[in-house]
Every structure is written in structure tokens, then in C-alpha cells.
Amino acid sequence: MRGLTWDHPRGYAPLDELTRLDLAGDNPYGDVPEPIEWDRQPLEGFESEPIAKLCETYDVLVIDHPGLGAAMDALVPMDELFDEPVETPFVGRSYESYHLEGRQWALPLDAAAQVAAAKAGVEVPGTWPEMAEFAREARMALCLGGPHAFLMFCALCSGDFLDEAAGARALELMSELLARSDRDVSLLNPIGVLDTMTAGGVDCCPLLYGYVTYPLTFSDAPAWPGEPPGSVLGGTGLVVSRRRIDEIREAVRAHLRRLVSEPVQTRLFPATGGQPAARSAWQGDPTLATLEAAWVRPRFPGYIALQERSSALLRDGLLARVRPRDLLRDLHKEWRQT
């Protein structure tokens, strides 16, 4: 059996460890009919490689939920694999994010949302007005690389990114924060920002996707006064391709049940640098409130390309210091053309 995950220890280390234990013939997390050989793709592959195309090569894939809309014809829905829903309680809306057009297309494997990150000893403010003041003195970076300029904007709008007032408020703040941030670091993706922070380049980032593999302090996303933390749900899920399902159905069922089981999620994942999706693994975590409130992105065909265009539009406009109202008008025009 062939599987595809993403090329970061958080994405492949738990899966590789299970395969190693399977090949050794003594897996304490349960036996499966045959192991999966996992290949890896870059993180950007979630945006650049259509899931349906990858399903021509792979049996099981680790995916991001916004790509579902264009892939359903190539996937086996979970109700065709399992007689009853998998019982693991997942954090926030992780399970719901893979439910589309009345069917469940994936099981959550990994959970994430945009949160605040800082070096040890740096206390990040809890509200956006306080963050604007904090940025006057802090060595700070934003996270605007790839799709993340648009995702930060959506988080600041609590998902209502086509609302005029919410959008203007968000872009005014982003412009103000970028002017006080390390510009070069701010153009990186989350891994790049976290690598720089770990190396001592900056002290904090107010909003980016958290990674348990970094020796940093993560806390709830800042909030607008009187509102819950605004964040956009990330994480990954497990889908099954139709290419060989009649041959491997029982083996696939065994793998999926084991991967989302409480022992694997709460013991093996933390021990190998994974970031589990089971809610029990997040009890007591300082970012749980953000995960529970995180917004689920659209999943219609073509969304990922629109997300990329929107992010480039916002990033370029912020760097060029375009007036927030004008930048918002251009963004709304892009979405009206969809």
C-alpha cells in the first residue's frame, strides 16, 4: 500500500514509526494486514497538487480540507468504509471540516489553528489593540507567505472576510503591524517564521499556525475586545482513493481506525513530534480555546487557487502601502469574479 503525507517531521514521523513497528512484527498499537509505505510532498503541495491527480498513484493521502471540493469523485467516503462512524472525539470542527455535500470524506489526523507564538519569557498581549501597542517595542514578524496573508485577514475578520467594516478593520491593523515588523521574516510561511524565531531572529509572531516541534511558547490567538479568538482551522485529514479500494478495503479500514485511535493520537503522536487531532490530546493546552473557535474555510472547486490569488493581492498591496479601503475593494472584486 502506498501513502502520501507532507515533508515535515510533524507530518511524517508518527506514520513512519507505525510502519517501522509493523515491519518489525510487534506493533503495540495493533496489527494491520499490511504496512503502508509513505511518500512525502512539500507543504506547498497541499495548494499545488490536485488531490484527484494524486489519487491515481496513492491509496491513502494526508490532505488539507480546502482541497476536498475538487476531489470527491476520486475518493471513497467514510460511510462506504465503515458501518458506523469512527468514535474518536476530535478537537473543534476538525471532523466537520471534512464533511461536504452530506458525506464524510476524511478522518482528522492532525489539528492546528493560527495562534500566537513567542520565545520563552516573551508575553504576547491577548487583544489586537494591545498587540498594536506591543509592536512598537517588540521584535516581531507577521506570517504572510503563500496563502497566509489571506488566512491572517480571514482570522481577523472571524471568517466574515467580505464584510466591509470587518475587512477594513483587519487591513488597517495588518498594515500597522507590518510597518512595525521584520519585513523579510514576515514574507515567510509558518515553518520559516518559526525557524527564524527559534534561531533568535525575532521574538514573537501574533498569528501563525502552531507546531509542537518548536521550543517556543504558544498561546491563544489575540482577540478583538469582547470577541472570541479569531483563527482559521488548519490541520490534516486522511482520505482514501478509489484506485484499488476493492483490493485493500480491509487493510485501509485497519490503518484508519488505528491512526485516529486514542492510543496512537495521545501517546505515539506526542512521542514522535506529531500534532494530534483527538480532543483528549489537547486537554489543558493553552491554545485549546482558539482551536475550538477556529473557522472552517470554503471547500468549493477552485477555492485553493482563489486563496492563493487573494493572498498575493493582499501581500503585495500591504507591501506597497495601498490604502486599506482600496485594497479591500480589489479583494472583493476578485471574489465577485469567481
Side-chain angles (χ1 to χ4, degrees):
M1 291 174 60
R2 296 192 66 189
L4 181 68
T5 185
W6 50 299
D7 192 15
H8 185 277
R10 176 178 138 195
Y12 63 75
L15 306 181
D16 285 354
E17 177 63 8
L18 280 173
T19 299
R20 185 190 70 79
L21 292 169
D22 286 337
L23 293 172
D26 185 22
N27 195 327
Y29 297 100
D31 295 326
V32 291
E34 59 178 298
I36 295 178
E37 178 183 344
W38 291 98
D39 291 340
R40 306 170 191 174
Q41 67 171 339
L43 179 62
E44 289 74 15
F46 283 137
E47 283 78 41
S48 63
E49 293 292 334
I51 297 168
K53 180 68 175 176
L54 294 170
C55 283
E56 296 174 7
T57 304
Y58 294 99
D59 302 306
V60 181
L61 299 91
V62 177
I63 69 152
D64 194 8
H65 66 263
L68 271 181
M72 291 184 290
D73 288 346
L75 302 177
V76 182
M78 293 297 108
D79 56 89
E80 286 187 19
L81 280 176
F82 300 104
D83 295 332
E84 297 179 356
V86 174
E87 295 179 354
T88 303
F90 298 103
V91 68
R93 298 176 68 188
S94 295
Y95 187 79
E96 179 187 340
S97 69
Y98 300 104
H99 193 85
L100 191 62
E101 296 187 5
R103 308 195 79 169
Q104 188 71 27
W105 297 97
L107 297 179
L109 179 69
D110 170 296
Q114 296 152 306
V115 294
K119 292 168 59 177
V122 176
E123 187 172 346
V124 179
T127 71
W128 286 117
E130 292 172 328
M131 184 64 69
E133 289 300 315
F134 179 74
R136 295 178 183 274
E137 306 294 336
R139 294 196 312 150
M140 192 169 77
L142 302 185
C143 181
L144 306 178
H148 297 283
F150 179 65
L151 296 180
M152 180 177 183
F153 172 72
C154 290
L156 287 165
C157 297
S158 298
D160 196 4
F161 59 89
L162 294 179
D163 179 81
E164 293 278 351
R169 179 177 70 168
L171 288 176
E172 286 166 4
L173 177 67
M174 290 176 71
S175 180
E176 183 178 358
L177 291 177
L178 181 59
R180 298 171 184 171
S181 296
D182 185 308
R183 180 169 292 208
D184 290 339
V185 179
S186 295
L187 298 181
L188 301 175
N189 66 16
I191 293 172
V193 175
L194 293 167
D195 283 341
T196 302
M197 199 182 308
T198 303
V202 293
D203 292 337
C204 68
C205 179
L207 198 72
L208 83 173
Y209 286 93
Y211 281 70
V212 296
T213 50
Y214 288 90
L216 300 167
T217 300
F218 294 98
S219 55
D220 276 324
W224 294 106
E227 299 180 16
S231 188
V232 177
L233 188 68
T236 61
L238 292 158
V239 296
V240 178
S241 75
R242 287 198 174 275
R243 75 181 194 118
R244 293 197 308 138
I245 189 58
D246 291 337
E247 303 169 42
I248 61 172
R249 184 179 301 271
E250 291 307 313
V252 164
R253 285 161 53 100
H255 276 286
L256 265 59
R257 283 195 183 279
R258 188 175 67 178
L259 281 164
V260 301
S261 68
E262 293 277 354
V264 167
Q265 288 275 302
T266 61
R267 296 205 299 266
L268 182 129
F269 263 64
T272 54
Q275 192 160 297
R279 195 180 194 283
S280 57
W282 290 91
Q283 294 297 330
D285 189 275
T287 65
L288 178 59
T290 297
L291 275 163
E292 295 278 59
W295 174 68
V296 175
R297 282 169 279 173
R299 292 152 294 172
F300 56 80
Y303 168 75
I304 288 180
L306 183 57
Q307 175 181 266
E308 286 290 333
R309 294 198 303 273
S310 299
S311 193
L313 185 155
L314 292 179
R315 183 171 51 250
D316 293 347
L318 289 166
L319 291 170
R321 304 182 76 82
V322 174
R323 290 192 313 167
R325 292 280 180 183
D326 294 339
L327 190 51
L328 186 63
R329 181 198 61 218
D330 293 342
L331 179 71
H332 288 185
K333 181 179 178 181
E334 180 74 39
W335 278 78
R336 283 196 299 272
Q337 294 173 348
T338 302

PDB file of all heavy atoms in Angstrom, residues 7 14 37 48 75 85 137 208 231 252 267 294 303 308:
ATOM      1  N   ASP A   7       6.080  16.801   3.983  1.00  0.00           N
ATOM      2  CA  ASP A   7       7.507  16.680   4.293  1.00  0.00           C
ATOM      3  C   ASP A   7       7.931  17.555   5.467  1.00  0.00           C
ATOM      4  O   ASP A   7       8.684  18.529   5.322  1.00  0.00           O
ATOM      5  CB  ASP A   7       8.329  17.030   3.051  1.00  0.00           C
ATOM      6  CG  ASP A   7       9.793  16.637   3.211  1.00  0.00           C
ATOM      7  OD1 ASP A   7      10.081  15.848   4.146  1.00  0.00           O
ATOM      8  OD2 ASP A   7      10.628  17.104   2.426  1.00  0.00           O
ATOM      9  N   PRO A  14       5.202  10.300  12.916  1.00  0.00           N
ATOM     10  CA  PRO A  14       4.331   9.269  13.510  1.00  0.00           C
ATOM     11  C   PRO A  14       3.989   8.153  12.530  1.00  0.00           C
ATOM     12  O   PRO A  14       3.916   6.978  12.916  1.00  0.00           O
ATOM     13  CB  PRO A  14       3.084  10.063  13.917  1.00  0.00           C
ATOM     14  CG  PRO A  14       3.534  11.476  14.016  1.00  0.00           C
ATOM     15  CD  PRO A  14       4.573  11.634  12.951  1.00  0.00           C
ATOM     16  N   GLU A  37       3.672   2.177   2.824  1.00  0.00           N
ATOM     17  CA  GLU A  37       4.918   2.881   2.505  1.00  0.00           C
ATOM     18  C   GLU A  37       4.566   4.336   2.215  1.00  0.00           C
ATOM     19  O   GLU A  37       3.853   4.633   1.255  1.00  0.00           O
ATOM     20  CB  GLU A  37       5.589   2.251   1.287  1.00  0.00           C
ATOM     21  CG  GLU A  37       6.872   2.949   0.861  1.00  0.00           C
ATOM     22  CD  GLU A  37       7.479   2.341  -0.385  1.00  0.00           C
ATOM     23  OE1 GLU A  37       7.095   1.207  -0.744  1.00  0.00           O
ATOM     24  OE2 GLU A  37       8.318   3.011  -1.009  1.00  0.00           O
ATOM     25  N   SER A  48      -0.651  23.078  -4.511  1.00  0.00           N
ATOM     26  CA  SER A  48      -0.245  22.993  -5.920  1.00  0.00           C
ATOM     27  C   SER A  48      -0.590  21.669  -6.593  1.00  0.00           C
ATOM     28  O   SER A  48      -0.664  21.610  -7.824  1.00  0.00           O
ATOM     29  CB  SER A  48       1.266  23.236  -6.039  1.00  0.00           C
ATOM     30  OG  SER A  48       1.991  22.228  -5.352  1.00  0.00           O
ATOM     31  N   LEU A  75     -12.433   9.921  -4.415  1.00  0.00           N
ATOM     32  CA  LEU A  75     -12.309   9.467  -3.035  1.00  0.00           C
ATOM     33  C   LEU A  75     -13.417   8.501  -2.636  1.00  0.00           C
ATOM     34  O   LEU A  75     -14.514   8.519  -3.196  1.00  0.00           O
ATOM     35  CB  LEU A  75     -12.347  10.672  -2.089  1.00  0.00           C
ATOM     36  CG  LEU A  75     -11.290  11.748  -2.304  1.00  0.00           C
ATOM     37  CD1 LEU A  75     -11.522  12.903  -1.330  1.00  0.00           C
ATOM     38  CD2 LEU A  75      -9.882  11.185  -2.135  1.00  0.00           C
ATOM     39  N   PRO A  85     -19.886   5.430  12.361  1.00  0.00           N
ATOM     40  CA  PRO A  85     -18.876   6.489  12.418  1.00  0.00           C
ATOM     41  C   PRO A  85     -17.755   6.140  13.398  1.00  0.00           C
ATOM     42  O   PRO A  85     -17.983   5.495  14.426  1.00  0.00           O
ATOM     43  CB  PRO A  85     -19.661   7.709  12.906  1.00  0.00           C
ATOM     44  CG  PRO A  85     -21.083   7.411  12.566  1.00  0.00           C
ATOM     45  CD  PRO A  85     -21.231   5.922  12.693  1.00  0.00           C
ATOM     46  N   GLU A 137       7.547  48.149  20.431  1.00  0.00           N
ATOM     47  CA  GLU A 137       8.796  47.817  21.127  1.00  0.00           C
ATOM     48  C   GLU A 137       9.301  46.409  20.798  1.00  0.00           C
ATOM     49  O   GLU A 137      10.487  46.130  20.921  1.00  0.00           O
ATOM     50  CB  GLU A 137       8.602  47.925  22.644  1.00  0.00           C
ATOM     51  CG  GLU A 137       8.060  49.270  23.113  1.00  0.00           C
ATOM     52  CD  GLU A 137       9.055  50.398  22.878  1.00  0.00           C
ATOM     53  OE1 GLU A 137      10.275  50.113  22.795  1.00  0.00           O
ATOM     54  OE2 GLU A 137       8.616  51.552  22.769  1.00  0.00           O
ATOM     55  N   LEU A 208       0.047  32.711  13.621  1.00  0.00           N
ATOM     56  CA  LEU A 208       0.522  31.743  12.633  1.00  0.00           C
ATOM     57  C   LEU A 208       0.162  30.358  13.113  1.00  0.00           C
ATOM     58  O   LEU A 208      -0.188  30.165  14.276  1.00  0.00           O
ATOM     59  CB  LEU A 208       2.020  31.871  12.381  1.00  0.00           C
ATOM     60  CG  LEU A 208       3.013  31.174  13.328  1.00  0.00           C
ATOM     61  CD1 LEU A 208       4.426  31.304  12.778  1.00  0.00           C
ATOM     62  CD2 LEU A 208       2.934  31.673  14.751  1.00  0.00           C
ATOM     63  N   SER A 231      -9.410  32.764  14.335  1.00  0.00           N
ATOM     64  CA  SER A 231      -8.397  31.885  13.757  1.00  0.00           C
ATOM     65  C   SER A 231      -9.039  31.067  12.648  1.00  0.00           C
ATOM     66  O   SER A 231     -10.263  30.930  12.583  1.00  0.00           O
ATOM     67  CB  SER A 231      -7.819  30.959  14.834  1.00  0.00           C
ATOM     68  OG  SER A 231      -6.710  30.235  14.349  1.00  0.00           O
ATOM     69  N   VAL A 252      -7.137  -0.860   4.591  1.00  0.00           N
ATOM     70  CA  VAL A 252      -7.349   0.579   4.761  1.00  0.00           C
ATOM     71  C   VAL A 252      -8.168   0.854   6.021  1.00  0.00           C
ATOM     72  O   VAL A 252      -7.853   1.755   6.804  1.00  0.00           O
ATOM     73  CB  VAL A 252      -8.050   1.163   3.515  1.00  0.00           C
ATOM     74  CG1 VAL A 252      -8.631   2.539   3.814  1.00  0.00           C
ATOM     75  CG2 VAL A 252      -7.069   1.267   2.358  1.00  0.00           C
ATOM     76  N   ARG A 267      -0.530   9.011  22.597  1.00  0.00           N
ATOM     77  CA  ARG A 267       0.778   8.517  23.027  1.00  0.00           C
ATOM     78  C   ARG A 267       1.820   8.573  21.911  1.00  0.00           C
ATOM     79  O   ARG A 267       2.860   9.222  22.047  1.00  0.00           O
ATOM     80  CB  ARG A 267       0.659   7.082  23.570  1.00  0.00           C
ATOM     81  CG  ARG A 267      -0.198   6.975  24.806  1.00  0.00           C
ATOM     82  CD  ARG A 267       0.180   5.753  25.648  1.00  0.00           C
ATOM     83  NE  ARG A 267       0.005   4.493  24.937  1.00  0.00           N
ATOM     84  CZ  ARG A 267      -1.102   3.739  25.001  1.00  0.00           C
ATOM     85  NH1 ARG A 267      -2.133   4.140  25.724  1.00  0.00           N
ATOM     86  NH2 ARG A 267      -1.184   2.597  24.354  1.00  0.00           N
ATOM     87  N   ALA A 294     -12.009  27.978  15.862  1.00  0.00           N
ATOM     88  CA  ALA A 294     -11.444  28.258  14.536  1.00  0.00           C
ATOM     89  C   ALA A 294     -12.463  28.078  13.416  1.00  0.00           C
ATOM     90  O   ALA A 294     -13.283  27.156  13.420  1.00  0.00           O
ATOM     91  CB  ALA A 294     -10.231  27.372  14.296  1.00  0.00           C
ATOM     92  N   TYR A 303     -11.322  26.822  -4.961  1.00  0.00           N
ATOM     93  CA  TYR A 303     -11.045  27.684  -3.808  1.00  0.00           C
ATOM     94  C   TYR A 303      -9.551  27.879  -3.576  1.00  0.00           C
ATOM     95  O   TYR A 303      -9.099  28.984  -3.274  1.00  0.00           O
ATOM     96  CB  TYR A 303     -11.692  27.134  -2.526  1.00  0.00           C
ATOM     97  CG  TYR A 303     -11.159  27.853  -1.304  1.00  0.00           C
ATOM     98  CD1 TYR A 303     -11.583  29.135  -1.005  1.00  0.00           C
ATOM     99  CD2 TYR A 303     -10.162  27.278  -0.499  1.00  0.00           C
ATOM    100  CE1 TYR A 303     -11.055  29.834   0.076  1.00  0.00           C
ATOM    101  CE2 TYR A 303      -9.630  27.963   0.574  1.00  0.00           C
ATOM    102  CZ  TYR A 303     -10.080  29.239   0.862  1.00  0.00           C
ATOM    103  OH  TYR A 303      -9.532  29.933   1.923  1.00  0.00           O
ATOM    104  N   GLU A 308      -4.883  31.526  -3.109  1.00  0.00           N
ATOM    105  CA  GLU A 308      -3.529  31.964  -3.478  1.00  0.00           C
ATOM    106  C   GLU A 308      -3.556  33.350  -4.113  1.00  0.00           C
ATOM    107  O   GLU A 308      -2.729  34.207  -3.780  1.00  0.00           O
ATOM    108  CB  GLU A 308      -2.900  30.957  -4.445  1.00  0.00           C
ATOM    109  CG  GLU A 308      -2.456  29.657  -3.798  1.00  0.00           C
ATOM    110  CD  GLU A 308      -1.252  29.849  -2.882  1.00  0.00           C
ATOM    111  OE1 GLU A 308      -0.463  30.779  -3.111  1.00  0.00           O
ATOM    112  OE2 GLU A 308      -1.115  29.055  -1.934  1.00  0.00           O
TER     113      GLU A 308
END
